[in-house]
């Protein structure tokens, strides 16, 4: 295909290759673990400083506090910092929401802090792929649109949040409010390692089971006690039986706490766990199973169980509108010499939340890489320009009318 009409924007991406690499290194060197508020704020300020050159209206959004349960089964509140929204041409008939997070899973005490160049095309460091690389791709794709001479045909909003890696508990309401204001969504989570896009995603829920027993002397009067840790262990074993109900359901117990001196029957224990499902039907089945399991433990003499949490990311099925958008991206990929495929993923992201709010979106437009959430996280540097061109070309085609898109709601919309 002749891309002369879009050459100005595509050439802009080519001119920014070294800058994109430099920005990823700079941003990844700033620790932005989800609950490291000072680091998140510092990194977000550096990112927004680059996006301000686009000329959009910048709005900072204070997020509500996160409510959690500590090791003593006490409710505690954690501040989450701020998100940012940048908008341009908000009254355009066609509006695109571009989103990605600034936080990572690596807190300031995590040993993985350094950014290293492994070879001419590989960068290793905390968040280089998930999602500092995605931020660079989003930035330069938008700059290419603004340099293309076609930007007046499309409006856009950038949304960058600080809490996605912990389930977007504070920013989820803002995402839901943005969905009906836009025609489609582009999110910049990393691509699959071979460059494929993500189609359907599982739903994910985070839960806390708090057990209350009865303390007693472990040697003299153990029969008078009710061991909360023993009850928690039985609960965990019973919880894992749910995976037999459907091959798509997974359970992960990620954190446990309880007890004290070993000569005291422990009266407190807490278990944090994650559940993943493929469909709304599986989500309902899991909810019923948890309720039944909790009632069984509550019925025991001297034992209490409090279950909190829920599904923060609903399942994201591959609906017709999203498939249509994937088709447009595949066509743009072919124009650029890329053969793009898409596959389902067990991971979740803010694309789940936007789909549940009715906005068709593709959420894996970030760079290629791997080793996510581990000290082996890496980014393939040549994919920064590759993905920026892909997204820029899609937006330029939408703006010019070559790609037709009628604003539409997904099947899960209200």
């Amino acid at each position: 295909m002749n891309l002369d009409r879009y050459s100005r924007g595509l050439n802009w991406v080519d001119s920014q290759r070294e800058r994109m690499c430099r920005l990823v290194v700079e941003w990844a060197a700033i620790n932005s673990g989800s609950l490291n508020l000072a680091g998140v704020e510092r990194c977000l300020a550096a990112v927004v400083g680059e996006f301000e050159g686009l000329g959009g209206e910048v709005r900072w959004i204070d997020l509500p506090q996160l409510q959690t349960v500590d090791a003593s089964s006490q409710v505690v509140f954690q501040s989450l910092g701020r998100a940012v929204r940048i908008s341009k041409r908000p009254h355009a008939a066609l509006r695109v929401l571009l989103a990605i997070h600034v936080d990572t899973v690596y807190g300031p005490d995590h040993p993985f802090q350094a950014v290293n160049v492994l070879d001419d095309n590989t960068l290793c460091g905390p968040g280089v792929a998930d999602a500092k690389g995605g931020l660079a791709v989003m930035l330069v794709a938008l700059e290419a649109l603004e340099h293309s001479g076609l930007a007046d045909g499309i409006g856009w909003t950038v949304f960058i949040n600080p809490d996605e890696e912990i389930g977007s508990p504070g920013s989820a309401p803002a995402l839901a409010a943005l969905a009906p204001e836009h025609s489609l969504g582009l999110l910049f989570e990393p691509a699959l390692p071979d460059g494929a896009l993500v189609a359907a995603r599982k739903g994910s829920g985070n839960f806390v089971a708090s057990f209350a027993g009865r303390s007693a002397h472990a040697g003299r009067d153990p029969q008078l006690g009710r061991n909360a840790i023993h009850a928690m262990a039985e609960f965990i074993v019973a919880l894992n039986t749910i995976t037999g109900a459907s091959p798509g359901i997974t359970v992960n117990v990620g954190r446990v706490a309880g007890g004290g001196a070993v000569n005291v029957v422990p009266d407190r224990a807490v278990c944090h766990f994650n559940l993943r499902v493929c469909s709304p039907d599986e989500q309902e089945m899991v909810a019923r199973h948890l309720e039944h399991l909790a009632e069984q433990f509550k019925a025991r003499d001297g034992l209490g169980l409090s279950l909190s949490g829920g599904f923060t990311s609903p399942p994201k099925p591959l609906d017709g509108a999203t498939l249509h958008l994937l088709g447009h991206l595949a066509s743009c990929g072919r124009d650029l010499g890329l053969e793009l495929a898409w596959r389902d993923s067990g991971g979740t992201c803010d694309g789940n939340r936007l789909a549940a709010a009715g906005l068709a979106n593709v959420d894996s437009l970030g760079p290629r890489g791997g080793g996510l959430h581990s000290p082996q996280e890496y980014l393939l540097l040549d994919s920064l320009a590759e993905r920026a061109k892909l997204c820029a070309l899609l937006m330029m085609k939408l703006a010019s009318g070559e790609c037709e898109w009628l604003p539409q709601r997904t099947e899960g919309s209200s």
Side-chain angles (χ1 to χ4, degrees):
M1 177 185 175
N2 189 337
L3 295 178
D4 289 348
R5 188 179 189 183
Y6 308 112
S7 61
R8 190 188 306 177
L10 297 176
N11 289 340
W12 172 260
V13 176
D14 285 331
S15 73
Q16 299 301 303
R17 289 176 182 267
E18 291 186 7
R19 172 177 168 240
M20 295 175 78
C21 297
R22 174 178 57 79
L23 288 174
V24 173
V25 171
E26 291 176 0
W27 295 339
I30 303 171
N31 182 277
S32 57
S34 303
L35 299 181
N36 177 16
L37 298 191
V40 168
E41 188 79 3
R42 181 181 164 210
C43 189
L44 191 51
V47 170
V48 171
E50 297 291 333
F51 277 83
E52 284 177 332
L54 292 163
E57 178 190 5
V58 179
R59 289 176 51 194
W60 292 86
I61 302 167
D62 292 320
L63 300 184
Q65 289 187 316
L66 169 65
Q67 179 177 317
T68 59
V69 177
D70 66 12
S72 301
S73 301
Q74 299 299 309
V75 175
V76 295
F77 294 90
Q78 171 70 55
S79 296
L80 291 174
R82 299 189 293 174
V84 67
R85 170 180 176 168
I86 309 170
S87 300
K88 194 165 185 179
R89 294 180 294 276
H91 302 297
L94 183 66
R95 295 189 62 199
V96 178
L97 174 63
L98 303 97
I100 193 55
H101 57 95
V102 74
D103 62 320
T104 73
V105 299
Y106 313 101
D109 298 327
H110 195 285
F112 186 44
Q113 300 290 336
V115 182
N116 294 299
V117 178
L118 300 185
D119 58 45
D120 289 345
N121 195 42
T122 312
L123 190 69
C124 178
V128 290
D130 186 18
K132 306 299 173 66
L135 285 161
V137 169
M138 181 168 69
L139 169 66
V140 173
L142 279 172
E143 289 176 342
L145 171 69
E146 295 300 316
H147 281 83
S148 70
L150 301 166
D152 288 344
I154 192 171
W156 52 261
T157 299
V158 164
F159 184 78
I160 306 173
N161 56 340
D163 60 341
E164 191 276 340
E165 291 292 9
I166 55 173
S168 299
S171 55
L175 285 161
L178 284 169
E181 300 177 4
H182 294 85
S183 312
L184 58 100
L186 304 176
L187 286 84
F188 293 83
E189 294 289 343
L192 296 174
D194 63 355
L197 300 167
V198 172
R201 288 186 181 271
K202 285 187 177 183
S204 175
N206 295 323
F207 300 84
V208 181
S210 301
F211 297 83
R214 184 188 302 151
S215 60
H217 193 292
R220 176 175 290 187
D221 300 308
Q223 73 282 358
L224 299 180
R226 296 292 183 270
N227 193 308
I229 293 179
H230 287 182
M232 179 180 67
E234 291 183 50
F235 177 86
I236 291 171
V237 172
L239 182 65
N240 275 276
T241 63
I242 195 173
T243 59
S246 171
I249 299 174
T250 60
V251 179
N252 183 62
V253 177
R255 180 155 50 100
V256 296
V262 294
N263 63 345
V264 177
V265 176
D267 64 349
R268 294 285 174 183
V270 180
C271 163
H272 297 249
F273 59 97
N274 174 265
L275 287 163
R276 304 215 174 202
V277 296
C278 290
S279 68
D281 287 343
E282 287 185 352
Q283 182 174 324
E284 291 180 11
M285 179 173 62
V286 165
R288 291 195 301 269
H289 183 93
L290 286 177
E291 182 179 356
H292 177 68
L293 194 57
E295 291 302 320
Q296 286 182 315
F297 278 80
K298 289 178 185 177
R300 298 185 181 185
D301 175 51
L303 184 68
L305 170 57
S306 173
L307 194 63
S308 61
F311 277 88
T312 57
S313 295
K316 182 188 177 187
L318 179 57
D319 56 41
T322 303
L323 188 60
H324 185 63
L325 180 53
L326 284 166
H328 278 322
L329 281 162
S331 176
C332 291
R334 287 190 293 271
D335 292 340
L336 297 169
L338 303 173
E339 288 297 327
L340 292 177
W342 46 84
R343 297 193 300 275
D344 297 346
S345 172
T348 68
C349 72
D350 286 329
N352 293 64
R353 299 170 187 93
L354 289 172
L359 186 67
N361 69 85
V362 172
D363 56 32
S364 48
L365 291 165
R368 290 178 281 116
L372 309 181
H373 295 191
S374 83
Q376 289 75 47
E377 181 173 349
Y378 69 90
L379 164 70
L380 298 177
L381 293 171
D382 62 352
S383 67
L384 292 170
E386 170 191 296
R387 308 301 272 201
K389 281 186 173 182
L390 176 67
C391 297
L393 183 57
L394 174 68
M395 289 189 290
M396 289 187 290
K397 283 189 173 186
L398 288 168
S400 70
E402 182 176 338
C403 277
E404 183 180 1
W405 183 269
L406 298 177
Q408 52 189 298
R409 311 293 286 161
T410 68
E411 294 171 3
S413 63
S414 57

